[in-house]
Amino acid sequence: MFRIAMRTLRFRKGAFVATFLAMTVGAMLVLACGGLMETGIRADLPVTRLAASQFVVTGSQTLVLPKEDPNDPEEDADSAHLPERVRLSSDLVDEVSRVPGVAAAVGDVSVPALVGGMSVEAHGWSSASLTPVSLVSGRAPSAGEVVLGQGAGATVGERVELAVRGNAKTFTVSGLVPGRAVFFADDQVGRLAGHPGSVDLIGVRTQRGADLGAVADRIGKLLPGQNATLLSRDERGWGERLEFAKAGENLIVLSAVFGGFAVMVMLFVVATTLGLSIQQRQRELALLRAVGTTPGQLRRMVIGEALVMAVFAAALGGLLGTLFGPWLFERLATHGIVPTDMVHHTGWIPMVVAGGAVLVGSFFAALIAGRRAARTRPTEALADAAIQRRWLSWVRVVLAVLAFGGGIALFIVTVTVMTGPVAASTAGPSVMLWATALALVSPGITKLVLAILRWPVRAVSGTAGYLATLSTKTRAVRVAAVVTPIMLATGVATANIYLQTTTIALANEAFVENLRADLVLAGDVTPGLVDEVRSVPGVRAASEFASSTVYVAKPYLSQDDDGWPVQGVSGPAAAQTTAFHPTAGRLADLTGDTVALPESQAAELSRGVGDTITMRMGDGTAVDVRIVALYAAREGYETILMPASLVAAHTTSGLPSQIVVRTDDPASVAPALTRLAAAHPGLAVVDRDTLVSSHAKDQELGAWINYLMAGMLIAYTAISVVNSLVMATNARRREFGLQRLTGATRGQVLRMMTVEAGMTTVIGVGLGTVVAFATLAPFTLVTDGSLLPKGPVAVYLVVTGAAALLAFGATLFSTWVGLRTRPAEAAVAPA
């Protein structure tokens, strides 16, 4: 049987190529996502600045969240990643240095500095040995001195001005090193960084010939109770890159979400393409049944063909995936999603998963597609191959009910349980469930819509419309097979794009609602600067601003690892510089260890004004704070308010990042603030419009990755549209030949196919719109109280226009190619 199938392959090259292409591209996408997941799991980041150290000790950035019952040993405690640097006591440096086998333990401190307008991370001179960096000229720095990189253009003995944490300071250059490095004296770097007595990390260099395992064990015994973590080998690289500490985890989540979506789309596309291919071979399969082929032989033949194609497609897709995966990873690194020097991996596991997905998907798609032909009696099969009318089966009904049920369940869960942006998490599975459900019943829907369109189409398009409606009426089941990929492409594209535009629009709305600043000073805000700003004529109110993330330690609260966003403000000015209106208490009381909570979060904690709760700050420090105010907040975008001095003290920089200014005349106040900012290097004055625009750009950058990943899947579905239409049209060459032998011209056939393409597009786009609406409606209801998404109508017009262009282009081009065959030859060609 398999030999017969291979011999007939030359008569159905189009169907073979279309199915093979769907499998290949599917394998490529799945492998690319699998490679991203492996890269995130391995988290291989080569060490650079700390390359000369064998071990690195850092503060533990993991916070164990409280359990509902602290005394229950069986309850697992959740954990969260702390966003701010957790520092270590300088005393631990001395303890580590005394460990047998340790040659030197160096406490490393990072200080942001501006050198010639360029931002540089400065360190203490002893940290130079961790790279290592050697002097080109001069000597090590002492108090009031600095070693600069040759790129700064300074000379030994020269007096230079550096901006350190917002203050301009003058230093004498004592030495030069390669590059753009900056090194201060060890005894002053802690004071310059603002946290004397603590270090960012400890670099450990071992003695030559020391047993690294034994040294690691000895150091590890010092760390319990120190809130510290020991890193070795390639883990040391993450000690240098705190800002990318969650890059591996984020990459795993990203690849899992889009990889799972890619698998679902791939299975859907392969099943659709393979099913259409088998449909077009109904006459061939019916003849095989008529000459004595058993149902089992027929099933084995169809499955064997599909698996052979899948093997070669998986191999080619794997090869392409090893090229596409690194390209995709490079795009992520370029946009700051992952470190640029993180190592990309594509091992054997993603290859097995990609190949297995294609093989398993192809097996079940062939099993389902060949099942009906194998079970139909030979005489019925021949009749059904000519005009395929039957499509409903109990398997299809059960699957449709399950898919519709799943889509409705996700709709209900999203509307009733979820709040804010997290409601978007159900969109991926939702769009596939609705698409699958409608695909299963699409033959019935197609028949109904074609019946509705029949008379209007005939009235508008004349003879071409008559022929087109007559043809589609007898071929409704096969038309439905072509409608399905158009529906999928339209639904996936519309849902994913509008999901992002809505998310961005809502985030921007929330930002603008909370923004009461007319002008903003952005940069490192030094102590006392806010008082200088308030003294500027025309300034009505000014408040420091700092942001971070906090967690509730007491009382118990079920919370996820994202924590609660917190804004640090100056209490006396908070009422004028924020958009929050207290329903209880006063924002002016935000001084010292205090907090103002949204009403919803206070209700979760069962606490009110005057009560005390324990918060874990961004660096993990526990602080008891008193609730001084409650206020209403937009659901899903709640923010906690605390004094700016309290929040900033527990951030990596240790300083507020902005001063927000209210004034009645921004144009007259801006020049005075600009002059004030000039005396504080690194500060800049921006107006409200610039701030809003900058926030919008940040949102767009965050959404870029989603656009990229969704764009891959949209492109894949677009390929399936072209595949299906070309395959379906090529299978009608015999029909075209017979039409021309009975007197139809090429132009009449092309006009007929144009009308058919139009009806197919209308049905596919209509069903795709239903899919997108059913996916987006629960999200927009929860976040905006509307059934319609936010975003330009042009998005929908472009998506539907592209679907129409693909449908008309693929149909008419393949029709034109088919019409080039002489009618007599086409009329006797295999159907």
Side-chain angles (χ1 to χ4, degrees):
M1 293 303 299
F2 183 72
R3 191 161 53 248
I4 294 174
M6 293 295 101
R7 287 178 179 175
T8 61
L9 182 62
R10 63 191 180 93
F11 297 111
R12 44 190 173 83
K13 293 188 288 290
F16 168 79
V17 171
T19 308
F20 184 81
L21 183 61
M23 294 176 177
T24 300
V25 177
M28 180 187 75
L29 292 179
V30 174
L31 180 60
C33 291
L36 292 181
M37 177 172 284
E38 181 181 358
T39 301
I41 293 172
R42 287 177 178 262
D44 188 359
L45 182 65
V47 64
T48 54
R49 188 175 64 83
L50 305 176
S53 62
Q54 283 70 50
F55 301 102
V56 174
V57 181
T58 67
S60 175
Q61 297 294 143
T62 300
L63 173 67
V64 179
L65 299 176
K67 300 191 297 184
E68 183 173 6
D69 182 1
N71 299 319
D72 184 1
E74 297 184 0
E75 181 184 352
D76 294 329
D78 294 327
S79 62
H81 174 81
L82 294 169
E84 312 294 345
R85 167 76 73 177
V86 177
R87 294 188 169 91
L88 303 170
S89 169
S90 298
D91 295 338
L92 184 59
V93 179
D94 296 330
E95 294 182 45
V96 174
S97 66
R98 290 193 292 269
V99 170
V102 172
V106 177
D108 179 68
V109 175
S110 297
V111 188
L114 284 176
V115 182
M118 180 174 292
S119 180
V120 179
E121 286 289 333
H123 303 273
W125 175 245
S126 60
S127 296
S129 64
L130 300 177
T131 305
V133 173
S134 300
L135 285 166
V136 174
S137 60
R139 56 176 176 77
S142 56
E145 296 180 334
V146 65
V147 169
L148 293 179
Q150 290 176 308
T155 58
V156 174
E158 182 181 349
R159 298 279 289 175
V160 296
E161 186 177 89
L162 305 180
V164 182
R165 299 180 76 239
N167 290 315
K169 297 180 180 294
T170 302
F171 298 88
T172 300
V173 179
S174 67
L176 298 175
V177 295
R180 292 187 175 274
V182 177
F183 294 100
F184 295 117
D186 290 330
D187 59 359
Q188 68 176 151
V189 67
R191 291 193 300 273
L192 291 173
H195 50 84
S198 63
V199 297
D200 293 345
L201 57 87
I202 302 172
V204 181
R205 292 186 291 112
T206 58
Q207 296 172 353
R208 182 173 298 181
D211 184 340
L212 297 183
V215 173
D217 289 340
R218 297 184 191 114
I219 296 175
K221 292 178 181 179
L222 300 175
L223 302 186
Q226 300 279 3
N227 197 23
T229 301
L230 180 65
L231 306 178
S232 61
R233 299 187 177 90
D234 287 339
E235 293 176 334
R236 295 170 297 165
W238 295 104
E240 303 175 6
R241 306 291 188 86
L242 176 64
E243 68 275 19
F244 288 113
K246 290 192 70 175
E249 179 182 334
N250 292 339
L251 198 58
I252 293 172
V253 174
L254 177 71
S255 58
V257 171
F258 282 99
F261 197 19
V263 170
M264 288 190 291
V265 172
M266 186 266 292
L267 294 176
F268 194 99
V269 170
V270 169
T272 302
T273 308
L274 195 56
L276 181 59
S277 172
I278 299 300
Q279 272 187 19
Q280 293 175 354
R281 297 172 58 195
Q282 288 284 32
R283 181 179 296 275
E284 172 194 334
L285 300 178
L287 287 171
L288 288 173
R289 288 282 286 119
V291 297
T293 304
T294 65
Q297 288 176 317
L298 207 60
R299 280 195 297 269
R300 287 194 294 274
M301 182 190 77
V302 172
I303 293 172
E305 289 177 20
L307 290 180
V308 168
M309 271 194 294
V311 168
F312 287 100
L316 180 58
L319 178 61
L320 296 176
T322 57
L323 302 175
F324 180 67
W327 177 88
L328 181 61
F329 180 78
E330 186 179 344
R331 302 285 77 72
L332 299 180
T334 301
H335 286 76
I337 308 299
V338 295
T340 53
D341 47 358
M342 189 175 181
V343 180
H344 178 264
H345 292 277
T346 302
W348 64 270
I349 294 179
M351 292 184 178
V352 170
V353 171
V358 172
L359 289 171
V360 172
S362 301
F363 172 80
F364 283 104
L367 181 65
I368 295 171
R371 176 179 173 274
R372 182 158 166 255
R375 295 187 62 182
T376 305
R377 293 179 181 178
T379 53
E380 294 177 358
L382 285 170
D384 195 38
I387 301 177
Q388 190 174 2
R389 297 186 183 276
R390 294 180 302 170
W391 61 275
L392 197 60
S393 66
W394 68 268
V395 174
R396 186 183 285 262
V397 170
V398 170
L399 292 176
V401 169
L402 291 175
F404 275 117
I408 294 171
L410 283 179
F411 191 111
I412 295 172
V413 168
T414 304
V415 171
T416 58
V417 177
M418 297 186 172
T419 60
V422 72
S425 60
T426 60
S430 181
V431 71
M432 292 308 302
L433 283 170
W434 288 114
T436 301
L438 289 176
L440 289 167
V441 298
S442 63
I445 297 175
T446 301
K447 286 184 177 183
L448 176 62
V449 177
L450 287 175
I452 296 173
L453 293 176
R454 185 175 303 132
W455 296 112
V457 168
R458 288 182 179 182
V460 172
S461 53
T463 303
Y466 177 81
L467 292 173
T469 55
L470 190 63
S471 173
T472 53
K473 179 181 178 181
T474 58
R475 299 174 50 257
V477 176
R478 294 188 180 181
V479 172
V482 176
V483 163
T484 298
I486 299 177
M487 172 195 67
L488 182 63
T490 304
V492 168
T494 305
N496 277 284
I497 294 175
Y498 273 121
L499 188 69
Q500 297 307 317
T501 59
T502 302
T503 301
I504 292 172
L506 292 172
N508 289 337
E509 284 181 7
F511 178 78
V512 172
E513 286 176 4
N514 295 335
L515 181 63
R516 287 293 179 268
D518 300 304
L519 296 169
V520 174
L521 278 76
D524 289 333
V525 177
T526 55
L529 179 59
V530 69
D531 294 326
E532 296 182 52
V533 172
R534 289 169 182 157
S535 65
V536 172
V539 171
R540 184 150 48 93
S543 169
E544 293 178 320
F545 178 87
S547 61
S548 186
T549 302
V550 295
Y551 302 85
V552 177
K554 291 180 183 179
Y556 169 78
L557 176 69
S558 177
Q559 55 193 323
D560 58 32
D561 58 3
D562 291 331
W564 288 1
V566 60
Q567 289 183 5
V569 296
S570 301
Q576 298 182 68
T577 55
T578 68
F580 303 109
H581 303 290
T583 56
R586 300 192 316 150
L587 295 182
D589 293 332
L590 278 171
T591 57
D593 293 345
T594 56
V595 64
L597 296 177
E599 290 177 320
S600 59
Q601 294 175 331
E604 288 185 62
L605 295 170
S606 300
R607 294 293 188 273
V609 173
D611 292 331
T612 298
I613 61 176
T614 302
M615 308 289 286
R616 288 279 186 175
M617 305 302 290
D619 62 354
T621 303
V623 178
D624 293 330
V625 291
R626 181 171 52 87
I627 302 173
V628 297
L630 303 179
Y631 51 89
R634 186 170 185 167
E635 190 174 22
Y637 296 90
E638 296 91 348
T639 299
I640 292 175
L641 297 181
M642 299 179 84
S645 57
L646 177 60
V647 175
H650 297 283
T651 60
T652 301
S653 68
L655 294 173
S657 59
Q658 293 178 350
I659 295 179
V660 294
V661 179
R662 291 299 306 274
T663 175
D664 296 325
D665 188 3
S668 63
V669 173
L673 291 180
T674 301
R675 290 191 295 272
L676 177 62
H680 297 269
L683 273 183
V685 179
V686 296
D687 59 19
R688 178 184 176 87
D689 291 340
T690 303
L691 205 62
V692 172
S693 176
S694 176
H695 179 269
K697 288 181 179 178
D698 290 342
Q699 293 297 312
E700 290 286 352
L701 180 62
W704 174 89
I705 178 59
N706 293 318
Y707 282 127
L708 174 65
M709 303 298 282
M712 297 188 312
L713 301 178
I714 292 169
Y716 185 33
T717 58
I719 291 173
S720 75
V721 170
V722 175
N723 268 355
S724 299
L725 288 167
V726 169
M727 190 164 54
T729 307
N730 284 341
R732 298 175 64 185
R733 286 179 301 166
R734 186 168 179 267
E735 175 189 337
F736 297 155
L738 290 172
Q739 287 176 335
R740 292 184 63 197
L741 287 175
T742 56
T745 65
R746 289 184 179 180
Q748 288 175 320
V749 175
L750 283 170
R751 285 194 292 273
M752 178 193 74
M753 294 302 295
T754 301
V755 176
E756 284 194 29
M759 290 191 292
T760 302
T761 301
V762 167
I763 299 172
V765 168
L767 291 178
T769 302
V770 172
V771 169
F773 177 79
T775 301
L776 293 170
F779 171 68
T780 55
L781 276 173
V782 167
T783 56
D784 193 42
S786 170
L787 285 173
L788 298 178
K790 291 181 177 293
V793 178
V795 170
Y796 180 72
L797 297 178
V798 169
V799 169
T800 55
L805 182 63
L806 288 173
F808 279 97
T811 300
L812 296 180
F813 177 76
S814 52
T815 301
W816 176 78
V817 171
L819 290 174
R820 295 178 63 186
T821 305
R822 294 173 59 184
E825 295 177 2
V828 297

